[in-house]
Amino acid sequence: MDAPEPDTALPANSPEPGAGRYAPSPSGDLHLGNLRTAVLAWLFARSTGRRFLLRMEDLDRVRPGAAERQLADLRAIGLDWDGEVIRQSARLPHYRAAVARLTAAGRTYECFCTRREIQQAATAPHAPQGAYPGTCRALTPDQRAEFLAAGRPAAIRLRAEVAEFEIADELHGRYRGAVDDVVLLRGDGVPAYNLAVVLDDAAQGIDQVVRGDDLLSSAPRQAYLATLLGFPVPRYAHVPLVLNAAGQRLAKRDGAVTLADRRALGDSAERVFALLAGSLGLAGRTPAAVLARFDPARLPRDPWTLDPNRLSPAKECP
Ligand code: GLU
């Protein structure tokens, strides 16, 4: 493919120093698991001399006021970031332009499958786990016309030419994972997460992606897509999640898990930071206080299990 068009919507970032980022979806308040990942992303970036950028992934599931509250909570626990917060909703033309470029290069196809059809096909014997089985890859013009005439919405998928791709991860080492024909534009015309994340990371000069390890299996397809678009692949650190007492991923229904909840119980933002830092083996009340002692090699590799109902509220740290 041709070299990528320069992305003019963002200030030109010089390649040095690189940048890390935190990219929440503003679907509600951040909980202790989200805040802990944000702290880790900040520590990874700042301890390596990188800029730290914030991006609101607001293409989907937006709750009014959530983005502002998320930023206020991140600030309250002591995190800072560089430059303006980027919002994906302001970048729609860039996502569409990238899809147009991939389409012009023959790297996409229309997919008319419903979620149900994909689920059924994916559970067929020999289908790769969770991957799109490629049903619409080779539609005939007649089949395509039939779907269009029936008013079926078309998603745009990547025509992937590899089945696997390898990434480098600070905590997981070399990780090889499946690449399938990911959705680039959803049937409702909204750019898909896997496309937006790749374009934004490249446009923002991000060379270090720190996020929850639930996204580890998405990294190979994102790295492949970045390569296809001519972008450098960032270095990854997929960090362990926070689990509830039952061993499931922490959620708001698990109790007093947001900063607002903790404050209502008498905790300060400093105390919440200290709790998160303590779970990472770092004692201190502010990000700046623990930065010098941060060492990725000494990070806990297991999830942090937390029962928010058993946290002692307002307990002073030593
Ligand atoms: N917006 C995603 C989330 O909140 C994170 C995506 C990423 O860090 O790549 O789960």
Side-chain angles (χ1 to χ4, degrees), residues 14 44 76 99 145 147 149 201 272 278-279 306 311:
S14 69
F44 267 97
V99 175
F147 280 129
D201 284 344
V272 169
S279 79
L306 175 75
L311 284 177

Side-chain angles (χ1 to χ4, degrees), residues 21 23-25 55 57 193 197 201 209-211 214-215 222:
R21 45 72 154 184
S25 306
R55 179 169 78 232
E57 302 212 320
Y193 157 68
V197 75
D201 284 344
V209 168
V210 178
R211 58 188 180 188
D214 53 330
L215 286 168
Q222 293 173 3

Side-chain angles (χ1 to χ4, degrees), residues 33 36-37 40 171-172 212-214 238-250 276 278-280 299-307:
R36 186 175 186 256
T37 301
L40 279 166
L171 304 184
H172 297 266
D213 62 14
D214 53 330
H238 288 90
V239 299
L241 296 178
V242 180
L243 304 182
N244 68 16
Q248 298 144 338
R249 192 192 324 182
L250 190 74
L276 299 173
S279 79
L280 299 169
L299 274 182
R301 301 299 167 111
D302 294 324
W304 181 41
T305 302
L306 175 75
D307 183 349

